[in-house]
Amino acid sequence: PDAALLAAWRGYQQAHRDYDAACARLPGGGTETDTAPLRRRIDAYQAKVERLPARSVAGVAVKLRLLFAQQLMTIDAHQAAIHDAPMTPELAAEMDADDEILWALIHDVERMTTSKEASI
């Protein structure tokens, strides 16, 4: 039921990977002009993820991950939420109780997705 939302999420993740790769390749990380097309692509996918309704547990997990990244607005939070990187000690130290609840909820919802898939 969330095919479009999950496809938008994968596009969002890939757009971020492409942006990171371009910044690493360009001298000094590139200019605003260099990265503008990539940022527009990221913004377009983000708008889709935000706009499309979640109709499954997997869709809810995607929306929670985006919320976490947007709420904390740090590189470590972004890497953990968007790219499923491990939680860094710095990120753990900066999270408040609400952030910790949200992060735990993301993993609870993802476990529900995994257990539901296993039972099908």
Side-chain angles (χ1 to χ4, degrees):
D2 276 331
L5 174 58
L6 297 176
W9 178 249
R10 287 187 299 276
Y12 180 73
Q13 291 172 307
Q14 185 60 53
H16 270 286
R17 282 190 291 275
D18 294 346
Y19 176 87
D20 292 344
C23 288
R25 212 175 36 249
L26 293 167
T31 65
E32 295 232 359
T33 303
D34 294 332
T35 60
L38 295 164
R39 284 184 285 109
R40 282 193 298 273
R41 202 169 119 219
I42 288 168
D43 291 346
Y45 278 116
Q46 181 174 334
K48 280 185 183 180
V49 171
E50 290 171 353
R51 183 181 69 248
L52 291 167
R55 294 189 169 99
S56 70
V57 176
V60 171
V62 161
K63 294 217 175 222
L64 289 171
R65 282 187 170 272
L66 183 61
L67 175 63
F68 182 85
Q70 295 299 316
Q71 180 173 305
L72 274 76
M73 295 295 287
T74 67
I75 292 171
D76 288 344
H78 173 85
Q79 291 297 323
I82 307 303
H83 300 298
D84 206 23
M87 172 80 58
T88 64
E90 295 81 13
L91 177 56
E94 74 185 40
M95 288 171 50
D96 65 19
D98 292 341
D99 300 332
E100 291 172 7
I101 290 169
L102 179 55
W103 190 245
L105 180 61
I106 290 166
H107 292 288
D108 291 345
V109 169
E110 289 176 341
R111 276 190 296 279
M112 291 181 348
T113 301
T114 303
S115 64
K116 184 175 182 172
E117 289 170 357
S119 67
I120 294 176

